[in-house]
Each structure stands twice: as structure tokens, then as C-alpha cells.
Amino acid sequence: MTAILEVQEVGKSFGGVRAVDRLSFVIEEREILGLIGPNGAGKSTLFNLINGVFRPDAGRVRFCGADITGASPHRVARLGLARTHQIVQPLEAMTVLENCAVGACFGRENLPRARAQEAAREAAVFVGLEDRLDTPAAQLTIAGKKRLELARALAAQPLLLLLDEVLAGLNPTEVERMIGVIRRLRERGITILIIEHLMQAIMSLSDRIVVLNYGKRLAEGTPASVANDPQVIEAYLGDPALARELAGKTRA
Amino acid sequence: MSLFGIIASIIDGVLVGSVYGLAAMGLTLIWGVMDVVNLTHGSMIVAGMFALYLLTSVLGITPYATLLPVLVGGFLVGLALYWIAVHRMIGRAPLMSLLSTFSVNLVLIGLGTAVWGTVLFNVPVSFPGVTWQRYTFPGTHLLAAALTAVIAACLYVFLYRTRLGKAIRAVAGNRQAAELMGIPTTRVLALAFALGVALAGVSGMLIATLFPFTLLSGDAYQLKSFVVIVLGGLGNPTGALLGGIALGLLEGLVTPFIPVSWTLVIEFALFVTVLIAFPRGVFALRRS
């Protein structure tokens, strides 16, 4: 196993608040790594530090062995690191297919227009948008827009995919379908770092889980070990006694 | 006045109006891509007019051969203007870029007035016209409209059939998402701004083949551009061309009946009406 992404002692403060505090972790190739933590734990900030939207105050980020600390987002994207947004960001006034074609054109493969169109179609079909190819992105439902986010990222032929709450706001049927899509992505050899609040989903998807709290790593390990960690339960429930009680129950 | 006279006046209005549309395409492209109201637009139109004057009278180039140098020169000036007046204002309140381009406009017009004053210039351009009934459409008007159509078609092909055009449209749609999809957005913004300025310059050059001008003519044409882009829908280049044609049609329709000094009143009455009745523009049906 080789590391595709290495986050080393990365830190970022906003004013006096340490959003991410000397955080280190590694993602192996073809792994699905879950990132969980209470609201404001620094999960989205961490994504922004990895793909260059923010420049870290401290530490280094390595992607496929190359140092990408502070590189501009479009450079990071071209290296093969794609992401989806928690709040969907469709390209207005463009159709589903065009949105995906932009991803294919300017992603890792840097495809010419005709081949980008093919890759775009393939990505849109992969996430299940085949009957919405010519729909303007703005007219999609929220589930459709979430799929579009994923298709667009996928069209760029990424090596590593950062998924920011792709399941939030979906109904149970849509969640099931999206989980299926994510699993098939990994089968295609794409490494995935995923932020999610739906515990059941992330526990079943992830190989490993990193838990953040106040910008620091609270715990790391397999889904089962993390779920039984009293510190994690405390961070989520805020009551040490209840946490111990719950931890005791799950162990028993 | 005969019916033929009115029709001839309308046709001529449409020919001239298409050139207003070309100017407005530059303004609306910049607005659509980066939410910047480029108030150097008027001085760039004037720069195009003076480029025609200087290239023909000093260097002796034939008028229509100045089109390419004006396009290239306008593009380069646009790049410079972007870095001077616009780049640091991107993503800040729209008032910031409005004020910065307004200031640069004043500086440019001030410099120009110091050198050339505000006397009337006229570039003699002759081109055989077309006669219909008792009316002759000037060749300059026909050629200006034809060149406008060619430039507008090239812009359309560029925006919708090339990778770079795709990048510009992506940045217009969502700058942050475009950057995260691998598009160097800062360079794309500079490119779009330069393109908008080049269009303003070329339209100025074409207008100067039609009418005499002074260094202060830019304001009037800038105002027309605003009317046109409101007609066509903000940020929509195709709509701007249609808006220009509509404005020209209106001018052609009213000039046989009303003194010329009233056209501005009518145009701005239209401007206000459209803003109230069609806030997204009359030709903006395709935008969601």
C-alpha cells in the first residue's frame, strides 16, 4: 500500500480560532477514508486546505508524492484531485452534459473537446443522470444536483475524490443509490475521502475513519473501533456519563 | 414621408444599431463573466475611433485594414486595464470596480483631451452604397453591419465551440467551482475582460467610419450600450446584438418623425420601461 495523500502537521487559524490544529493523517491508494466530527470540527476547512482554497499556516500536504501545500486550486485539480461541494455549485446556464464536459476538459486528462464530451457523457451515465443530459443544471432537483457534483468530479478522471456531504438532503432511496455509486467508484480504482453526517452510511462505506474535534484528531481506526470509542461518543453526545454507559453497552 | 422612406430609415437604423450591439457585447461579456461594470467602455470606444483616425491619417492604412490592429491593440490594452483597475476588485463589492474603472476612464479621457482637445474629427471613408427606390444605403453602413455580423459570429463560435470559450462560460457560471475543476480563473477573467475591451475598440473604429466624433463621444455610446444590454439581458452577448438591432430599429423608426435631439429621451424612456417590465431583458428568454 502506498500513500496517495499525506497531511502532515497541517494547521489553519481564522482570527483566534484554530479551525485545524496540527493535524496529520494519511490516505492509502484505493481506500475510502471517512472524516467525521461535530459541526465546526474543521472538516470542510480541511478539504479547503487540501485542495488549495486556503493556504495552511503550518504543515505540508503531499499528493502522490508531490508537495501541493499552498498550490492554487486549479493546479491541484489538474493533478487529479477532484471534489464535490456540501452546498451544490452547478455552473449556471449550462446543461448537465456541459457541466461534466468542463470537468473533463480541465481535469487531470486535459481532454480535447470531442473526447471531453464522451467522458462527460460516461460520467453522467455512471451517476444515473443519463435521462437528464440536456437539462439545464439549475433545473435539477437537489438529489440531481448532488449527482451532478459527483459526475463533474468524476469526469475529470481523478485519482482522489473529496466528497463533502454528498448524502445530506437526500431521501433514503436516493441515499442508497448514492452509496452504490460511491462503492462502484472505488471499484474503478478511485481513492475517496468522504465527509458525512449520516453515521450508518459512513460506517458501512469507510475502510477507516478519522474523527475530528476542535480541529484536532480525536480518534482514528476502523468504523467499529471508532464507534465504540468513549471519547468519540462524548464529543457527539456531550455527556461523559452517557458516553461511558453507551460504550459499555456496545462492548457487552 | 413615403412608406419606402420609413422602411429605408428602419433598415439603415438596423445597420447602425448592429454596431451599437457590437459595442454592448463587449460591456455585457465583462459583466456576465465577472460582475464588473466596465466604465472604461466609453473611452475604449473612443480609443477605437482615434486608432482609426491615426492609423489612416498618419500611417496611411486603408480604413478597413485597421480592424485587425484595433482588435489586437484593444485586447492588449484590455489586459493592461484588467491588471490595473479590475483584478484587485474581483470578488469585492461591485461599487469598487465601478469606481476604479470610472477613475481610469477619467484619466484616459483627461489625457486624450490634453493631447487632441475636443475638436470634431472626421475620417473620410468611401465605399459604394446600394440604391433601392430613391434611397441609397451608404456602403459604410452596410460594411459596418456585415463586419459586425462576422465578429459576432466569431465570438459565438469562440464561446460555444472552443475549450477556452467553455472555460469562460464556466467561470461566468460559477467562478469558485470552475477554479476547483482545474480552470485558472484569474487568467480567464483577464482574457474575458481583454476580449470585452477589444470589442469596444472595434465597435468604436466601425462607428468612426460612419459618423464624425470627438474625444468626448464615448459617453453617448456608452449610454447606448447600457440601453442595449438592458434590452438584451445582462451578461448575454447574443441578446446584446439583438438589443442593438432593436435600438437601431427604434431610432430608424422615430427619426423621420421626431427631431434628432429627442432620440435620447425616447431611448431612456425605453430603458426605464424595460427595466420595470422586463428586468431580465427582452431577449433573455433562454436564461433560466
Side-chain angles (χ1 to χ4, degrees), chain B residues 1-13 131-137 252-253 256-257:
Chain B
M1 172 159 287
S2 74
L3 185 63
F4 282 130
I6 296 168
I7 294 174
S9 173
I10 289 176
I11 292 175
D12 195 52
T131 304
W132 175 68
Q133 301 287 336
R134 287 183 295 114
Y135 302 93
T136 299
F137 299 106
L253 188 65
F257 304 104

Side-chain angles (χ1 to χ4, degrees), chain A residues 74 85 89 110-111 113, chain B residues 161 163 169 174 179-180 182:
Chain A
H74 73 266
H85 297 85
Q89 305 270 351
N110 226 346
L111 296 172
R113 281 183 61 247
Chain B
R161 296 281 181 273
R163 274 168 54 97
R169 288 187 301 128
N174 190 324
E179 173 81 25
L180 293 175

Side-chain angles (χ1 to χ4, degrees), chain A residues 38 231-240 242-243 246:
Chain A
Q231 274 186 295
V232 175
I233 298 166
E234 186 191 328
Y236 269 96
L237 299 178
D239 181 348
L242 184 62
L246 276 174

Side-chain angles (χ1 to χ4, degrees), chain A residues 16 18 31 33 35 40 60 62 77 89 124 142 144 166 219 249:
Chain A
R18 284 194 182 149
E31 184 177 33
L33 181 66
L35 193 59
R60 315 237 49 103
R62 281 174 205 284
Q89 305 270 351
I142 189 71
V166 279
K249 264 185 197 162

Side-chain angles (χ1 to χ4, degrees), chain A residues 90-96 99 135-141 145 148, chain B residues 288:
Chain A
L91 302 175
E92 307 281 341
M94 281 191 174
T95 65
V96 165
N99 262 271
T135 307
Q139 288 177 17
L140 292 174
T141 60
K145 282 177 182 163
L148 178 59
Chain B
S288 47

Side-chain angles (χ1 to χ4, degrees), chain A residues 36-37 48 50 82 94 114 133 150 168 176 207 209 220:
Chain A
I36 63 172
N48 286 331
I50 291 173
M94 281 191 174
L133 292 178
L150 193 55
E176 277 308 310
D207 301 314
I209 285 178
E220 180 177 344

Side-chain angles (χ1 to χ4, degrees), chain B residues 133-193:
Chain B
Q133 301 287 336
R134 287 183 295 114
Y135 302 93
T136 299
F137 299 106
T140 50
H141 292 203
L142 290 166
L143 202 54
L147 288 171
T148 291
V150 170
I151 294 166
C154 290
L155 182 71
Y156 186 86
V157 169
F158 173 70
L159 286 178
Y160 289 90
R161 296 281 181 273
T162 69
R163 274 168 54 97
L164 214 47
K166 198 187 276 288
I168 289 179
R169 288 187 301 128
V171 171
N174 190 324
R175 186 160 65 240
Q176 194 199 338
E179 173 81 25
L180 293 175
M181 287 163 83
I183 296 173
T185 50
T186 302
R187 263 178 278 165
V188 169
L189 291 180
L191 170 77
F193 191 86

